[in-house]
Amino acid sequence: MKKLLALVLSLSLAFSLTACGGGGTSSSGSAPESGSSTSSEADGEKSFAGVKILHLISNTRGDGGNHDAAAAAVEKMRDEYGAEIKIVEMGNSAADVPKYLPTTLDACEEGWDYIVCGTAQMVEPVMEASNEFPDQKFIVYDAEIVRESEDQYPNVYSCLFKQNEASFLAGAMAAQMSDTGKIGFIGGMEIPAINDFLVGYIDGARYINPDIEVYSAFVGSWNDVAKCKEIANTQYQQGASLVFPAAGQAYPGAFEAGLAAQKMYLGCDVDRSISYKETNPEICEYMPTSVLKFVGNSIEGAFLRIMEGENIFGKHETVGIAENCVGLAENEYYEKLVPEEVRTKLDEIKADIVSGKIVVKSAYGMSQDELNAFKNA
Amino acid sequence: MNGFWSVIFSAGFVATIIRVTTPIIFASMACLIAKKAGVRNITIEGTMLVSALAGVVASAYLKNVWLAVLIGMLAGVGIGLFLGYFHIIMDTDIWLTGIAINLIANGGTVFAMFAITGDKGSTASLASLTVPNINIPIIKDIPILGEILSGHSFFTYLAIVSVIVMYVLLYKTPLGLRIRAVGEYSMAAESVGENSNRIKLIALALSGMFASFGGMFMSMSYASRFVRDMMAGRGFIGIAAESMGGGHPFGAAFAAAIFGVADALANVLQSFSIPSELLLMIPYLATIVGLVLYSIRRQEAEKKRIQKMRQSNTVKEG
């Protein structure tokens, strides 16, 4: 009996270990050998031939947002610059998240030149892997690697988006177009990036109308379309003239509620009108714009700078409207649904943000108390 | 807080509760019938997911929403029988099998969705159909009542009907009697020539059918597409509702409605600067409180029963 128990225990241990490591990098056998050349050999003509890039997605592809955009940028490195790439989807269920760290550590042993990963959930795995593998280069998007001293994490480049700036424009637009003086916001979960959207949105709305009421609520999930729809229903019922869902895959719920109530809503991360234009054009008729984050641009930009020989590692950058990394989708529906004087005003605001005349408030660096006080002000 | 009360005391809020409750009622009915037959079906969440996807995909390709509902239903029945085959025929552990099926459903739906649409997030690229809402002729013109009772999804009315059907089935039909007999003590049922495996399989098939309605309500009525993991625990809340309902269809439906109220209230309260994480807890907190209350009630009933027995025993002895 004891022997059997021991066997079962050891087997389950062995299995769980392989499950951890295998979760992401199951094909470690086929991983490239280490010690390959880096970008510097490609002078003149920009090329990434022989460079090996690994993209660890802390989700699966098909999020229709940041990870998809990042993966597309990594694929572009392969298609246009000849890099050797691999994209690993680590999933985002409760069972997957604990595997992020072991998967990252495993990946460091496989000899990739660059590991691309993103979002706040990857910050801790990258910090730990960076200490353990000081030669491994990391490119982190949509998150900040906080350094206590300047020479900490010299192998990590991280880049944060000023989604608050794009969101500021959205808020300013919503406030100008609102006939009720009330607008809504639906977040997926209360994480820094989503709060940053919210803070910018409120800030922009108050810039136009200091007395505006902004309802904000969270779905508590990235997938619960039904709950998103109910929250949107509630906000429309309370008089919100426009709802901005920054809620991952749950956003269609807000669109459906808005369509039924014949009120407006915004897309988030990518221009949502593109995917609806063919299949469901009436959805677009109530979507004046989408709040965009060009995650792909920033990753591509980072690689181009590496190709030019610049050392971007050991740095953290925030990119916004000035760098053309966030903004509003100025598509045909924007022209059609947003009145011209509003568009002119938005262009002015945009110029003011770029010139620094308007400094948009950010949720990054705000304590929870400050955030609550700001929301309720 | 002015806005709060005007939202709470609106016909729309009651309609919201009815909408939110619908999938939970189906889930609790699915759990109830299996439990009456003596099988703890924890695969309801997974069954809902599979049926939700099956319905959406079928409607996109067949261009007939009722045919799609039928296919989604068959998918649900299939999973019920799948569980039955392993647990009843092959005698596997019900919890392990249930967990396995839930995990398969979770990953399998994403896999199937990717194979069909090339997208792992949602079925946005499929032009799927939705089940129509039903306006009840005369009632819809009554001012407040009309807004509350009319214009809901076909599935919402089906949920109400299925609670009644469940009651009739369990307590007024020979099949119901057999199911309950097998669930109470299958050996006794077998001693009078009943095939308990067959009865259990029938109950599980019905359980899968009810779960499939809940799933299709989510993807073909509440929302108009399938998104991975879109049940977000409603199947499990249905199981809790069934327990709170004390094993009776009406009790289960009432408990489901309590969850509906909690959920709808949480949505409304969020607009009034109460911390969202606290509010998102409400439905789950309600589950635990409900289960504790139910357990206390049951224990006291048990105590009384034992006391009564003791008394009658002493009387006899004396």
Side-chain angles (χ1 to χ4, degrees), chain A residues 59-62 89 92 190 215-221 223-227 229-231 233-235 237-238 249 251-252 256 276 279 376, chain B residues 7 10 12-13 16 19-20 119-122 125 218 221-225 227-230 232 234 263 267-268 270-273 276-277 280:
Chain A
N59 198 329
T60 56
R61 292 191 76 169
E89 297 161 72
N92 70 345
E190 233 183 317
Y215 299 120
S216 65
F218 291 86
V219 179
S221 146
N223 303 319
D224 198 339
V225 187
K227 188 150 184 124
K229 187 174 181 178
E230 278 316 333
I231 292 174
N233 270 336
T234 308
Q235 293 187 344
Q237 221 180 337
Q238 286 170 322
Q249 275 294 339
Y251 69 86
E256 283 170 19
Y276 278 105
T279 54
N376 302 335
Chain B
V7 170
S10 69
F13 184 68
T16 302
R19 267 199 307 275
V20 172
D119 191 331
K120 287 179 187 167
S122 73
S125 57
M218 295 293 291
S221 179
Y222 215 151
S224 57
R225 59 163 81 176
V227 175
R228 74 192 161 108
D229 212 12
M230 72 186 297
R234 286 177 178 82
D263 206 358
N267 292 344
V268 175
Q270 279 213 39
S271 303
F272 299 96
S273 59
S276 66
E277 53 270 28
L280 292 171

Side-chain angles (χ1 to χ4, degrees), chain B residues 49-177:
Chain B
L49 269 178
V50 171
S51 298
L53 179 64
V56 164
V57 171
S59 77
Y61 285 103
L62 299 176
K63 296 289 168 215
N64 181 328
V65 72
W66 301 113
L67 219 53
V69 168
L70 185 72
I71 287 178
M73 207 173 92
L74 288 178
V77 170
I79 294 194
L81 292 176
F82 187 67
L83 173 70
Y85 173 74
F86 285 108
H87 173 59
I88 297 162
I89 313 285
M90 306 303 281
D91 203 23
T92 57
D93 183 275
I94 185 72
W95 300 107
L96 294 182
T97 317
I99 291 169
I101 290 179
N102 276 334
L103 290 175
I104 291 170
N106 214 332
T109 47
V110 177
F111 177 76
M113 180 162 63
F114 181 64
I116 294 165
T117 68
D119 191 331
K120 287 179 187 167
S122 73
T123 58
S125 57
L126 288 181
S128 58
L129 308 175
T130 52
V131 171
N133 289 348
I134 295 174
N135 288 314
I136 306 171
I138 299 159
I139 293 176
K140 77 172 188 317
D141 299 322
I142 305 172
I144 295 166
L145 212 60
E147 201 183 327
I148 294 174
L149 294 179
S150 179
H152 286 288
S153 162
F154 160 77
F155 281 118
T156 300
Y157 299 111
L158 186 65
I160 296 163
V161 170
S162 64
V163 174
I164 298 162
V165 166
M166 182 68 92
Y167 172 74
V168 173
L169 173 75
L170 282 177
Y171 298 103
K172 308 282 175 200
T173 66
L175 177 65
L177 181 68

Side-chain angles (χ1 to χ4, degrees), chain B residues 170-313:
Chain B
L170 282 177
Y171 298 103
K172 308 282 175 200
T173 66
L175 177 65
L177 181 68
R178 290 199 170 96
I179 288 177
R180 284 185 293 138
V182 166
E184 282 292 329
Y185 193 57
S186 63
M187 304 272 260
E190 275 169 17
S191 73
V192 293
E194 194 55 68
N195 181 348
S196 72
N197 282 0
R198 195 177 66 98
I199 297 292
K200 281 184 181 176
L201 281 175
I202 291 174
L204 277 177
L206 287 172
S207 172
M209 184 189 79
F210 283 117
S212 76
F213 291 146
M216 285 185 284
F217 170 72
M218 295 293 291
S219 68
M220 297 172 71
S221 179
Y222 215 151
S224 57
R225 59 163 81 176
F226 178 84
V227 175
R228 74 192 161 108
D229 212 12
M230 72 186 297
M231 297 310 144
R234 286 177 178 82
F236 293 114
I237 289 191
I239 295 175
E242 188 277 329
S243 294
M244 269 169 71
H248 194 281
F250 297 146
F254 181 71
I258 292 177
F259 287 116
V261 172
D263 206 358
L265 207 60
N267 292 344
V268 175
L269 282 171
Q270 279 213 39
S271 303
F272 299 96
S273 59
I274 298 167
S276 66
E277 53 270 28
L278 219 61
L279 293 168
L280 292 171
M281 236 165 59
I282 289 179
Y284 310 103
L285 208 64
T287 313
I288 293 178
V289 171
L291 285 175
V292 168
L293 288 178
Y294 170 65
S295 180
I296 290 172
R297 214 188 63 189
R298 208 186 46 190
Q299 278 175 3
E300 274 179 359
E302 186 79 353
K303 253 188 225 159
K304 269 185 197 154
R305 200 172 62 89
I306 290 171
Q307 250 169 13
K308 238 187 196 168
M309 271 168 64
R310 275 202 191 125
Q311 273 171 359
S312 66
N313 281 349

Side-chain angles (χ1 to χ4, degrees), chain A residues 22-318:
Chain A
T25 55
S26 51
S27 61
S28 52
S30 66
E33 287 156 28
S34 57
S36 70
S37 60
T38 36
S39 58
S40 51
E41 71 173 4
D43 279 354
E45 187 78 0
K46 278 181 189 165
S47 166
F48 246 21
V51 174
K52 298 178 178 74
I53 303 169
L54 174 70
H55 184 192
L56 293 178
I57 301 183
S58 47
N59 198 329
T60 56
R61 292 191 76 169
D63 70 337
N66 301 338
H67 291 298
D68 274 358
V74 171
E75 278 173 346
K76 197 173 172 188
M77 287 300 120
R78 175 192 62 196
D79 298 339
E80 290 185 14
Y81 302 99
E84 196 178 308
I85 67 159
K86 183 169 156 189
I87 297 175
V88 173
E89 297 161 72
M90 299 191 288
N92 70 345
S93 74
D96 295 323
V97 176
K99 290 189 231 157
Y100 290 171
L101 176 61
T103 307
T104 311
L105 291 174
D106 280 357
C108 292
E109 287 176 350
E110 291 176 358
W112 299 94
D113 293 313
Y114 303 102
I115 294 179
V116 179
C117 58
T119 72
Q121 285 171 312
M122 289 304 291
V123 167
E124 276 180 37
V126 166
M127 282 180 168
E128 195 155 336
S130 156
N131 286 332
E132 212 163 307
F133 298 90
D135 295 329
Q136 178 67 56
K137 300 269 191 285
F138 287 97
I139 294 175
V140 182
Y141 55 88
D142 209 13
E144 181 177 7
I145 303 293
V146 183
R147 293 179 172 78
E148 280 154 20
S149 62
E150 246 177 53
D151 51 352
Q152 223 180 358
Y153 310 118
N155 49 343
V156 183
Y157 165 76
S158 62
C159 155
L160 208 54
F161 295 84
K162 294 181 191 161
Q163 54 253 320
N164 57 336
E165 291 185 353
S167 208
F168 186 94
L169 290 175
M173 187 198 81
Q176 286 178 79
M177 288 165 69
S178 175
D179 45 5
T180 55
K182 291 166 186 165
I183 55 175
F185 175 91
I186 303 173
M189 293 203 208
E190 233 183 317
I191 61 164
I194 298 294
N195 275 332
D196 205 32
F197 272 117
L198 174 60
V199 167
Y201 186 67
I202 297 176
D203 202 18
R206 285 187 189 149
Y207 177 79
I208 297 294
N209 174 5
D211 301 321
I212 196 153
E213 182 138 21
V214 183
Y215 299 120
S216 65
F218 291 86
V219 179
S221 146
W222 302 110
N223 303 319
D224 198 339
V225 187
K227 188 150 184 124
C228 184
K229 187 174 181 178
E230 278 316 333
I231 292 174
N233 270 336
T234 308
Q235 293 187 344
Y236 286 127
Q237 221 180 337
Q238 286 170 322
S241 60
L242 179 146
V243 165
F244 173 25
Q249 275 294 339
Y251 69 86
F255 291 7
E256 283 170 19
L259 191 62
Q262 303 198 321
K263 286 179 181 162
M264 301 225 180
Y265 38 81
L266 300 178
C268 189
D269 290 341
V270 297
D271 188 348
R272 299 288 176 195
S273 73
I274 294 170
S275 60
Y276 278 105
K277 231 180 335 197
E278 304 292 327
T279 54
N280 220 341
E282 71 265 31
I283 289 263
C284 301
E285 294 297 325
Y286 294 96
M287 183 161 41
T289 186
S290 293
V291 180
L292 306 178
K293 257 164 102 170
F294 300 107
V295 175
N297 283 9
S298 77
I299 291 173
E300 206 185 320
F303 279 121
L304 289 176
R305 281 156 70 189
I306 292 170
M307 280 184 222
E308 280 158 8
E310 188 184 334
N311 180 22
I312 60 170
F313 294 96
K315 284 179 202 150
H316 171 75
E317 289 177 341
T318 49

